[in-house]
Amino acid sequence: MNEGLASLLRPLVVLAAPVWVLLLRYGVADLGAVAGVAPDVAVVAAVAAAWTRRPLGAVFFAALLGASLDLASTTPWGLGAIRYATLATVVCGIRRVGDFDIPGMSVFLVLMFALAERGAAGAIVGLRLRLPLGPLLWHAAGIALFSALIAPLGFLAARALAPETTIDEAWGRR
């Protein structure tokens, strides 16, 4: 493909990324569920973006993804965007503290992000609908564990789709 066409298509692919992630998320949930628990591709994508991309773009992507997820959620619209953007900001901050890419880091980050995000969503739904929180939080923990298992695949995909930024490039340092 020539460079001119690639430069025109790249922004469209980036803007459509949340749509692809949502399609994958619901496809994996339908095909890969075990006892009603499936990995959350959206969580993996948000963490991978926060770890491998520039912070502003990663947080925007996470917020857009969270807002998109709110459309099919029982939580009030906008809370998903806030949860995802906040957690992506935390992951970007962890990356800023040290440019360390140790084995298992992707699994750890996705596990922590998923526990916080899915746990918060479960608590919001439980409190809003007056449901017992225990089963909702156990379900969130199952989703977090399954999501952590596919984290390396998400990080590989994020790195393959676009060149990775170094920590200095991401934060505008030379």
Side-chain angles (χ1 to χ4, degrees):
M1 180 182 304
N2 69 23
E3 189 57 37
L5 182 59
S7 66
L8 289 174
L9 291 177
R10 195 170 293 123
L12 293 175
V13 170
V14 170
L15 288 174
V19 174
W20 292 110
V21 170
L22 291 175
L23 291 173
L24 273 173
R25 180 181 194 247
Y26 291 114
V28 168
D30 290 343
L31 298 174
V34 176
V37 177
D40 191 343
V41 175
V43 166
V44 176
V47 174
W51 193 255
T52 62
R53 302 287 169 255
R54 294 178 185 262
L56 183 60
V59 171
F60 179 75
F61 171 77
L64 186 59
L65 194 55
S68 301
L69 291 169
D70 277 344
L71 295 175
S73 176
T74 57
T75 60
W77 195 82
L79 284 180
I82 293 168
R83 286 191 320 268
Y84 270 73
T86 302
L87 291 169
T89 301
V90 169
V91 172
C92 288
I94 292 169
R95 182 175 175 215
R96 184 177 188 193
V97 169
D99 193 10
F100 48 111
D101 203 3
I102 57 177
M105 191 65 173
S106 64
V107 173
F108 174 76
L109 288 170
V110 168
L111 181 63
M112 293 298 108
F113 191 107
L115 281 172
E117 199 286 318
R118 297 290 27 175
I124 290 167
V125 168
L127 293 172
R128 188 166 182 227
L129 300 177
R130 292 179 171 76
L131 297 172
L133 292 181
L136 293 173
L137 295 179
W138 278 111
H139 188 260
I143 292 170
L145 287 173
F146 275 8
S147 299
L149 291 175
I150 67 164
L153 295 174
F155 275 60
L156 283 173
R159 290 180 173 134
L161 290 174
E164 186 175 0
T165 59
T166 66
I167 193 66
D168 289 331
E169 291 169 341
W171 289 94
R173 294 181 276 183
R174 299 209 187 271

